[in-house]
Amino acid sequence: MSPGLRLTCFAPPGLPAICCYTSRVRTTSGVRTTSGVRTTSGLGTLSSLGTWSGVRRLSGGSGSAGWYGGLAESAPVHLCENFLVSVHQASGLPWWLSIVMATLSVRTLITLPLAVYQTIIIAKVEALQVEISELAKRLRYEVSLRARERGWTERQSRLQFKKNLHRIISQLYIRDNCHPFKASLLVWVQLPLWISLSLALRNLSVDQSALQSGLTAGGALWFPDLTLPDPTWIIPVCLGLTNLFIVEVFSLQRVNPSGFQRFMTNIIRAFSVLMVPIAASVPSSMALYWFTSSLIGLGQNLVLRSPMIHKVLKLRTHRSDSPYRDLLAAFINKYCK
């Protein structure tokens, strides 16, 4: 029985990495990934325009039905609408650039500090693995002695080993303040924020008001109308490629991945491909947000692998001095040979 924890990281499209630690003794899992927000065309009618920063308020219930309507009319979504409109009005930028700037500010001011915290927690848990392994060996020896003294069966010995190892690992997590569940805090914040901003852009894109007129003429290049899907599929395809690259970045770092890790990697690859037609069927404003969010998330994840960042954060685990060169070499070895 191996007492060490196995680090499993996944990168759902548009979201930060989800890391979990699993063991045959104890399993502390991260947060489940959630697929992209589905857009239902023609769902209900929007009414009752409000006046706060020009953002309309949806009426209490006659315009939408079911859970989607309730979610689209929720307070967090309205708050995100107000935020997007405020960024647009304060900056004076065209809508497409306002969406990019709003995404950059959210991912920098809110999710980046949480991503740094996640990195610190993961490093602390990894640093404990040697200590856990040594303590487990000592515990196994003590349990075997006690089993001979008291005549325990193999099953009783195994249960005693698991029980005491659970207690030891919990004490180590408390001592170093690094319970693996804390590594999922980023997802608890990023996922609702991603959904709320997506629905906010969808609402603004279908709202019959002056705001929609601004979005209609707020695009650029091949997507001049942000309220319509990208007719060229350029943004959706770029989104899919970025998401696939994120998946490969994480998969290339794994040494001897387990069957479960390979299965989850393939599931996320499939979902990344599925996101392409989904992004091609929603307003360009949503697709642009998803692509920008994925691109910024990829950049931040790569930056957090820098040895300089690890030195500043005082991470205790051994890291490669050339993570980017190693990543490129792994990519070439896997796909170019």
Side-chain angles (χ1 to χ4, degrees), residues 1-296:
M1 179 183 304
S2 174
L5 300 178
R6 179 186 292 274
L7 173 63
T8 303
C9 289
F10 305 108
L15 297 175
I18 299 175
C19 297
C20 56
Y21 292 86
T22 57
S23 168
R24 295 178 63 185
V25 175
R26 178 175 183 167
T27 300
T28 306
S29 60
V31 181
R32 292 175 299 148
T33 57
T34 303
S35 60
V37 178
R38 220 165 22 97
T39 300
T40 306
S41 59
L43 178 62
T45 58
L46 303 176
S47 60
S48 183
L49 298 182
T51 57
W52 197 96
S53 296
V55 179
R56 56 96 185 93
R57 294 293 180 184
L58 298 177
S59 59
S62 61
S64 301
W67 65 268
Y68 182 88
L71 185 60
E73 298 178 11
S74 63
V77 173
H78 288 315
L79 185 62
C80 288
E81 292 176 30
N82 295 334
F83 167 69
L84 290 167
V85 173
S86 297
V87 171
H88 174 64
Q89 293 178 342
S91 66
L93 298 171
W95 260 109
W96 73 271
L97 195 52
S98 296
I99 293 173
V100 172
M101 293 302 297
T103 307
L104 179 61
S105 62
V106 167
R107 296 217 58 153
T108 301
L109 299 177
I110 298 179
T111 61
L112 181 57
L114 293 176
V116 172
Y117 179 71
Q118 181 188 63
T119 301
I120 294 173
I121 294 298
I122 291 174
K124 286 184 176 181
V125 174
E126 290 178 347
L128 284 176
Q129 297 314 297
V130 175
E131 185 174 358
I132 290 175
S133 179
E134 292 299 322
L135 290 174
K137 291 178 182 178
R138 188 183 310 168
L139 176 64
R140 184 177 289 109
Y141 174 73
E142 292 177 356
V143 169
S144 64
L145 291 180
R146 186 65 59 87
R148 285 196 294 268
E149 292 176 358
R150 301 190 177 184
W152 289 345
T153 64
E154 182 180 351
R155 181 174 179 275
Q156 289 175 321
S157 299
R158 186 166 56 250
L159 289 176
Q160 287 294 326
F161 176 78
K162 288 181 179 181
K163 178 181 177 181
N164 285 279
L165 186 60
H166 286 169
R167 177 179 52 80
I168 291 172
I169 293 176
S170 296
Q171 290 174 348
L172 292 176
Y173 287 157
I174 294 173
R175 186 195 70 185
D176 290 1
N177 191 25
C178 64
H179 195 287
F181 181 77
K182 292 182 178 181
S184 68
L185 178 62
L186 175 60
V187 181
W188 285 108
V189 174
Q190 174 66 14
L191 182 57
L193 190 59
W194 185 81
I195 293 174
S196 297
L197 282 169
S198 298
L199 291 178
L201 286 167
R202 188 264 178 190
N203 289 345
L204 293 174
S205 297
V206 301
D207 181 23
Q208 301 297 325
S209 68
L211 286 176
Q212 191 206 34
S213 300
L215 284 166
T216 300
L221 301 175
W222 67 89
F223 57 101
D225 189 346
L226 291 175
T227 66
L228 298 177
D230 182 358
T232 65
W233 282 49
I234 293 178
I235 297 178
V237 170
C238 289
L239 170 66
L241 292 175
T242 302
N243 290 335
L244 286 173
F245 187 72
I246 292 173
V247 175
E248 295 310 311
V249 166
F250 281 91
S251 67
L252 289 173
Q253 297 175 86
R254 300 193 186 110
V255 179
N256 299 322
S258 65
F260 174 74
Q261 288 177 325
R262 289 193 295 269
F263 173 76
M264 288 302 303
T265 298
N266 290 330
I267 290 294
I268 298 175
R269 284 193 183 110
F271 179 69
S272 299
V273 175
L274 181 62
M275 282 293 291
V276 174
I278 293 176
S281 64
V282 301
S284 297
S285 58
M286 290 179 64
L288 179 63
Y289 165 61
W290 292 348
F291 171 56
T292 304
S293 180
S294 291
L295 200 60
I296 295 173

